[in-house]
Amino acid sequence: MSARNPGGQRPITRRTVLQGAAALGGFVLCLRESGGIVLASQPPLYGAAAFPGGVVENPLVFVAIHPDDTVTVTVHRPEMGQGIRTSLALVVADELEADWPRVQVTQAPADESRYGSEDTDGSRSMRHFFEPMRRVGAAARMMLESAAAAHWRVPVSEVAAERQQVVHRGTGRRLSYGQLADQAMRQSVPEPSQVRLKDPAQFRYIGKSNTRLIDGADIVAGRAAYGIDTRLDGMLYAVVARPAVLGGKLVRYDAQAALAVPGVLRVVQIPSHSLPAQYYPLGGIAVLARNTWAAIKGREALKLQWDDGPNRSYDSRQFEKVLEQAVRNPAKVIRNQGDAQTILEKSGKRIEAEYYLPSLAHASMEPPAATARISNGHCEVWAPVQAPQATRDLVTELLGMKESDVTVHVTLLGGGFGRKSMPDFAGEAALLSKAMQGAPVRVMWTREDDIQCDYYQAAALEHLEAALGPDGMPLAWLHRSAAATENATFTAGAEGEDETEYGQGMSNIPFRIPNIRLEIPSVPAYARIGWFRSVYNIAHGFAVQSFVDEVAHAAGRDPRAYQLELIGPPRRIDPRSLADTWNYGESPTLHPLDTGRLRGVIERATSEAGWGRRMPRGHGLGLAATYSFMSYAAAVIEVRVGANGELTIPRVDLAFDCGPQVNPDRVRAQLEGACIMGLTLAMHGEITFKAGRVQQSNFNDYAVMRMSEAPREIRLHLQPAGFDVPLGGVGEPGLPPIAPALCNAIFAATGRRIRRLPIGSTLSRQTS
Amino acid sequence: MRYELSVNGESVHVEAAADTPLLWVLRDELGLTGTKFGCGMGLCGACTVHVAGHPVRTCITPVNAVLGKRITTVEGIGHDRVGHAVQTAWLALGVPQCGYCQAGQIMSAAALLRHSTHPTDADIDSAMAGNICRCGTYPRIRAAIHQAAQQLRGAA
């Protein structure tokens, strides 16, 4: 779930530098800013074009038509539950005039030079590949039409594709796609400028929700194959004892008892890479066995002595003090208009609050797992990865092989949420296969491994101040956001959020406040920091939207009316004018921040939720609205807080504007999921560290919301939009408004303000 | 140790240590990978199968505890009238996102519906309390259980 500057933060391989220099406007800009290197000015590239893999639109790469009249669409974006294998395939099928029940999907292996960017994060798959995949399908359709016209010796203008057949209008003759398959694939591929797209009014599947989930039948029958399910002849099962502290190294080990466990075959040491961690395996001792249970028992029997290294004293409670110091002192100014400091100092009505979000682990239901095999100088990897090419690059480097000798097969992901953007676990499998002379090895992480050796969402402390004018509206706004940066995972010593991180709902607030000062303190990282669904928007959204609610109450105003007044009238704001030069890597002209759309979701959510209605005792409604990943989301959450502090959530109303919805049913599914993930982190999510070690280990102490706690009703309100509107993201932007809407609702119900997540037992503790 | 098990109506022989959780016997020895590992502590329900018709967490059930008992996994549940109704409702309502936990969800739902054709929301909360879904498919799971129940009542 990275929202990173394209090309800017991935470990810079030769490949990305070469491609970056040739193609990446954003990357060129980075070099110029950091290194003073002046290159010939180029217009910046946006969207998929700014990624190393770019866009490939060749129908011969993505579409195969078979003589049995079936169609295979190759999907190059990994499937982790967002439905992309269904949604990209239906886009191709629609323009192709294919019959959905006859469409099959095959997953592309890692190869960005062939398929274009496969790096699946940042809510980008449909946003970046809707138009290209339309053109792929349309070009293939035109090739079928050309083949039929040639067969009948009639002008191509007299034929038309229709539901898996090409029809000659004059005579009514028909040829099926299967009959045309061989000839069609030999037609020349139309130039992109010649490709004729459908009129959206003619769409059969796009925007319709009438396409079955491509993997649904396999999933419900237990046939769907995830990374953990790979089985190869002679495969060994491995679990790894990794350093518990980032940067720790093995000093000595005794494997005698482990090797005595029946079924255990061997132990193998994996070297620990020096920091920064990047995507490299953490190192440690692997136990290889004939089955998983023997490997687990063998690992329990290892005697290990570690040097915990430079992070041995990291304590997250103490680190909170570091964050407090950081946000209570002046720091690097990243946006400044007017003179907020002076006004705050002199103000008679000054509000101040701090909001804390702890570290979070992803806890995808499928823990990391990968399989590798090396034979005849060729390494094959099967892995559930969001970043296939980064996986291939890592394995290539670790094995010292040529890229062409490494194949990465992308399995289904049993959840990703950003964790599986980091392919360290696939690197482990490759190293272990090499150590076993190429024998197939599957590495599986236990839940404890997953919780304790994750790439974590960074803990954050947000400090906000506002000075209110006589009308109750803010005259000045100060926000300091302190959190470790993901860059620290890749660059030693990187501190504090960068523009791709504070650009997530902190710098780009569209409020009409005359004096605004935004600051970013330097904060170090002591654990691996990684992308987590919606990333820094979580902390920023929680803080900003809670604070707006607090300020509205301080002004004695209704939070909805107050927020709308703060946003002001509908207008399109150039993100650069909000100190946001990043804009999620998208064009500022194509994707301005549209306050009309932000107002729209607030108005929709509040009206659907019956904002202002009389609430029973102990009930409250809370509102929050955020803009992220080019989409607008507003949540109204109803809570009931019982006499003993027990919290239930009868209903959520979530209004969402992502522009047009290609697969509305999957958009709804993503929003339902984002809502529940947002509630989980608000109520339960907390990773703490002591002596450098994560203190949680499994679902008993790192809880995930269960069905009985989930809202009984999640009502989704999708804003309609035509296909002339650029697409926004879907996977992540539903999440940021959830925690603040929940906490604002708790305030409305009880008068108690939550400024520290997770809520946990806070409510019951304080009432008892 | 060599054991004889009854899995999805077939008698199978496996070699395993006595304390091996049934989960790893199913997955590693029998290749029935539809049953998933999620936690290893009976906390998440991803590994749920039916033993003698009751939902069991296989990650904490040793293989020698299920000898002579009928084991049904997600691969076999579709042959069962209730299991088929659950799968059908799951597809009709588009329940799965990543799908990883759904085998366990389906097994828990089928066990509920075998004993209760009119489950209340509270019954569903109780029967599904041991199954975690990180994607957040709970609202659709609830709706699909109600739909399967309705279908089973109609067909009865």
Side-chain angles (χ1 to χ4, degrees), chain A residues 244 314-318 320 448 451-453 456 686-698 700-702:
Chain A
Y314 174 42
D315 182 309
S316 50
R317 294 276 174 249
Q318 287 177 17
E320 286 179 47
E448 291 79 7
I451 300 285
Q452 299 186 331
C453 295
Y456 301 91
E686 181 168 31
I687 291 292
T688 55
F689 293 81
K690 201 169 181 65
R693 290 162 169 74
V694 170
Q695 293 180 286
Q696 293 71 30
S697 61
N698 208 313
N700 54 334
D701 50 15
Y702 187 70

Side-chain angles (χ1 to χ4, degrees), chain A residues 340 343-355 462-469 472-480 543-544 546-557 562 747 753 755:
Chain A
I343 290 163
L344 283 163
E345 278 161 22
K346 292 181 179 165
S347 172
K349 183 87 176 173
R350 182 166 155 278
I351 320 290
E352 179 180 326
E354 288 175 0
Y355 304 89
E462 312 283 329
H463 175 100
L464 285 111
E465 296 177 28
L468 305 192
M473 298 309 292
L475 284 174
W477 174 281
L478 171 77
H479 183 173
R480 292 193 193 103
V544 170
S546 294
F547 193 59
V548 167
D549 197 75
E550 293 209 42
V551 172
H553 284 289
R557 298 275 307 274
Y562 192 86
F747 181 81
R753 177 62 63 183
R755 299 195 185 93

Side-chain angles (χ1 to χ4, degrees), chain A residues 79-83 213 215-226 228-231 237 290-293 296-297 361-367 412-415 417 442 444-448 532-533 664-666 668-670 672-674 676-677 680-681 697-700 702-712 714 716, chain B residues 15-21 24-46 59 73-78 83 86-88 90-91 93-103 105-106 120-122 124-126 128-143 145:
Chain A
E79 174 66 61
M80 51 183 158
Q82 79 279 45
L213 268 180
D215 297 305
D218 284 343
I219 288 170
V220 302
R223 289 190 303 263
Y226 300 84
I228 205 171
D229 297 329
T230 305
R231 288 170 63 83
Y237 297 78
R290 289 193 199 285
N291 57 64
T292 310
W293 185 239
I296 290 172
K297 299 285 279 186
H362 301 80
S364 54
M365 290 309 296
E366 178 197 36
L412 290 177
L413 283 66
F417 314 118
R442 190 177 76 205
M444 189 197 83
W445 290 39
T446 61
R447 180 59 58 196
E448 291 79 7
F532 181 107
R533 188 180 195 173
D665 179 63
R666 286 304 98 185
R668 289 175 177 276
Q670 283 301 291
E672 290 159 8
I676 287 171
M677 190 169 269
T680 285
L681 72 87
S697 61
N698 208 313
F699 294 123
N700 54 334
Y702 187 70
V704 168
M705 173 169 272
R706 290 172 190 267
M707 195 153 171
S708 56
E709 296 175 282
R712 194 48 59 87
I714 299 177
L716 302 173
Chain B
E15 195 74 42
D19 66 344
T20 307
W24 304 116
V25 173
L26 294 171
R27 289 181 54 84
D28 295 353
E29 309 304 326
L30 299 175
L32 294 170
T33 54
T35 303
K36 300 301 193 223
F37 168 76
C39 68
M41 293 176 68
L43 298 168
C44 78
C59 73
T73 70
V74 68
E75 288 92 344
I77 196 68
V86 171
Q87 289 173 327
T88 303
W90 245 244
L91 286 178
L93 296 186
V95 172
Q97 289 186 33
C98 87
Y100 187 83
C101 74
Q102 297 299 340
Q105 306 278 2
I106 285 168
T120 63
D121 281 328
I124 292 173
D125 282 344
S126 165
M128 305 305 289
N131 290 82
I132 290 175
C133 173
R134 187 65 161 140
C135 295
T137 61
Y138 300 130
R140 293 192 193 212
I141 289 174
R142 183 186 303 282
I145 291 173

Side-chain angles (χ1 to χ4, degrees), chain A residues 333-341 477 514-518 579:
Chain A
V333 179
I334 55 105
R335 180 174 163 193
N336 191 27
Q337 64 192 62
D339 186 359
Q341 275 174 314
W477 174 281
N515 303 282
I516 294 180
R517 187 176 179 93
L518 307 179

